[in-house]
Amino acid sequence: MKTKYLISAAATALVAGAATSASAEDLTLCWAAWDPANALIELSKDFEAQSGHTMNFEFVPWTSFADRMLNELNSGGQLCDLMIGDSQWIGGGAENGHYVKLNDFFDANGIDMADFIPATVTGYAEWPKNTPNYYALPAFGDVVGWTYRKDWFERPELQEAFQAEHGRPLGVPASLEELKDIAQFFQGRDIDGTTVYGAAIYTERGSEGITMGVTNALYNYGFMYEDPAQPYAIDGFVNSEGAVAGLEYYKDLYDTATPPGSSNWYMGENIDAYRSGQVALQMNFAFIWPGVEADPNVGGGRSGYFPNPAGPAGQFAQLGGQGISVVAYSEKQDAALEYIQWFAQPQIQARWWELGGYSALRAVVEDPGFASSQPYAQTFLDSMAIVKDFWAEPAYADLLLPMQERIHNYVIAGEGTAQEALDGLVRDWTEVFEDEGKL
């Protein structure tokens, strides 16, 4: 994307050079091992050239990222000078002293959080939420959305069959119920001599997968994390009638419209199923979309993108993404702060988008050319406007584990009822909050 923010190399050098410290440092940035991390390596070559510092990277697969990096932080380790930590870590990073508070640094260097997408500031940078206390700079905007085989949807014979069955055209679904209809329509269908299936959805149990998937149904059917008028009061909200209906919806989608053997799938498995032509739809975080476009089998106009559809209680999508923080145990904090200052520049953020990163800077995403810069750009904007996130409490891991277990046991293993699963989750979470002194 070409924007007015792509300034000359000389100006870049001037801006970056003004922050250069007296001596060069070897910095290590820690993040997950995925495609955007490779883009960040390329982007960071500019920082190395302008600052004289050397960037090293510690990337860990998503399935073990939280365990590895939270252990690093909790032990006061000095492996990481910079951490691109998950959105849910911000509470623990702040309250446990893992992350450097950045307010004074932002003020001194003209970095204004109003310049970033509001949802990313709340989700990635603030603690407590909705207060001007910042422990990260929004680094990578991400959200769960949907990818679909546009080329299949446009086939006349499939259009005709779907119209006959449902009385409406086969196209982007306006609701979760319509999405399920489409997924069920493709389930077991023959496409070019191959049996295909409806949708790849998140079902993984070991880390966070099924939670990051089921919330896209729960939110839209009425699930709420707590009473808006009474923080941490969860009974009647987590297990409301609407929340139960949302959980039942997700189980029905799994039972009737997903590939055989997809009982423990997360990002990578969904990508593989979609690229190999197994499914008509896939749920996944937006980070995958550049790779879809570049894929010879499903890219080049064969795929389309749409935000998580509405349910009876509204339209929401699970927030992903991360902020970048300076680790409090680093002995190279000044140089790490230089990286933050460099990364925050509009021209760097525009380049970040070009390379496949998802900028959260409003100057980039609100540029008139942004929405048409990629086939998925408008869907990214629409999706980031409807996000909700999981708990970002310091006890985040203790809250995540029982949700993974209870949801997986019901949706995948078929144990008990949706009401029983959510009632049990209320008991689990209440115990956590009591132990934390929140109740």
Side-chain angles (χ1 to χ4, degrees):
M1 179 183 66
K2 301 301 182 186
T3 79
K4 60 187 177 182
Y5 303 104
L6 291 176
I7 62 177
S8 68
T12 303
L14 180 64
V15 173
T20 302
S21 62
S23 59
E25 298 279 12
D26 285 338
L27 292 174
T28 297
L29 185 152
C30 296
W31 199 13
W34 57 335
D35 287 346
N38 298 324
L40 189 63
I41 293 174
E42 182 64 28
L43 183 73
S44 297
K45 291 177 181 177
D46 176 88
F47 174 74
E48 292 180 311
Q50 302 303 332
S51 69
H53 301 310
T54 300
M55 291 300 298
N56 302 288
F57 301 91
E58 185 73 17
F59 297 147
V60 179
W62 273 113
T63 50
S64 52
F65 177 57
D67 284 345
R68 170 77 185 282
M69 291 307 168
L70 291 177
N71 285 338
E72 178 69 20
L73 293 173
N74 289 330
S75 67
Q78 294 183 327
L79 169 66
C80 310
D81 302 298
L82 292 151
M83 175 77 75
I84 302 185
D86 223 353
S87 57
Q88 296 94 356
W89 302 3
I90 195 70
E95 291 196 11
N96 297 322
H98 299 326
Y99 294 162
V100 173
K101 190 175 182 180
L102 297 174
N103 287 58
D104 291 344
F105 172 75
F106 286 168
D107 291 343
N109 290 277
I111 298 173
D112 188 348
M113 288 294 96
D115 292 338
F116 292 83
I117 300 171
T120 68
V121 176
T122 302
Y124 309 155
E126 291 178 349
W127 191 261
K129 297 295 184 184
N130 301 307
T131 70
N133 297 284
Y134 306 119
Y135 293 86
L137 181 90
F140 189 88
D142 206 0
V143 57
V144 172
W146 291 86
T147 316
Y148 72 100
R149 287 299 299 266
K150 187 178 179 182
D151 55 342
W152 293 359
F153 278 45
E154 292 173 346
R155 293 190 177 194
E157 70 275 16
L158 296 181
Q159 284 276 346
E160 183 179 348
F162 188 85
Q163 181 75 39
E165 185 174 332
H166 292 284
R168 66 176 189 272
L170 175 59
V172 172
S175 68
L176 285 174
E177 284 297 330
E178 288 188 6
L179 184 149
K180 186 167 66 174
D181 287 344
I182 293 168
Q184 291 172 340
F185 173 78
F186 278 100
Q187 184 76 354
R189 187 167 291 274
D190 182 279
I191 302 284
D192 298 333
T194 299
T195 300
V196 305
Y197 302 95
I201 66 173
Y202 289 165
T203 59
E204 182 262 359
R205 178 170 179 163
S207 61
E208 63 176 13
I210 198 166
T211 297
M212 294 295 101
V214 73
T215 48
N216 296 281
L218 293 178
Y219 296 152
N220 295 350
Y221 275 81
F223 170 99
M224 298 176 68
Y225 283 104
E226 58 190 345
D227 183 345
Q230 188 178 354
Y232 305 108
I234 60 178
D235 194 15
F237 296 87
V238 167
N239 56 345
S240 67
E241 181 178 347
V244 170
L247 184 53
E248 291 172 340
Y249 167 90
Y250 201 74
K251 177 170 175 55
D252 191 38
L253 183 63
Y254 171 74
D255 286 342
T256 65
T258 60
S262 61
S263 61
N264 195 37
W265 283 16
Y266 198 16
M267 295 177 280
E269 291 83 2
N270 286 16
I271 292 169
D272 291 343
Y274 184 79
R275 287 181 173 176
S276 62
Q278 294 181 53
V279 292
L281 302 147
Q282 73 157 320
M283 160 190 284
N284 225 321
F285 284 108
F287 85 90
I288 71 156
W289 293 338
V292 169
E293 279 301 301
D295 189 277
N297 296 319
V298 296
R302 297 178 182 88
S303 293
Y305 313 90
F306 60 88
N308 191 47
Q315 184 175 13
F316 306 98
Q318 174 60 50
L319 181 69
Q322 303 88 34
I324 183 169
S325 301
V326 175
V327 177
Y329 314 114
S330 169
E331 296 180 346
K332 306 168 186 176
Q333 291 184 19
D334 288 344
L337 288 167
E338 284 184 46
Y339 188 91
I340 300 282
Q341 184 182 6
W342 164 84
F343 186 73
Q345 296 174 86
Q347 72 277 6
I348 299 301
Q349 287 291 304
R351 177 65 175 154
W352 182 217
W353 169 250
E354 287 185 336
L355 290 172
Y358 281 78
S359 175
L361 190 68
R362 292 175 61 187
V364 174
V365 302
E366 294 175 2
D367 184 274
F370 181 85
S372 60
S373 64
Q374 295 290 351
Y376 46 81
Q378 186 63 57
T379 299
F380 173 69
L381 292 177
D382 295 342
S383 297
M384 290 302 297
I386 59 171
V387 292
K388 285 191 176 186
D389 200 13
F390 187 76
W391 295 105
E393 294 287 321
Y396 143 77
D398 294 328
L399 297 164
L400 178 63
L401 288 173
M403 185 161 186
Q404 284 286 106
E405 180 178 2
R406 292 206 182 264
I407 299 302
H408 198 277
N409 285 352
Y410 169 69
V411 171
I412 309 303
E415 296 180 7
T417 67
Q419 186 73 63
E420 290 169 345
L422 293 177
D423 287 346
L425 186 59
V426 166
R427 293 193 297 272
D428 296 336
W429 282 0
T430 298
E431 183 177 345
V432 171
F433 289 133
E434 288 174 344
D435 291 344
E436 291 284 304
K438 306 288 188 180
L439 293 173

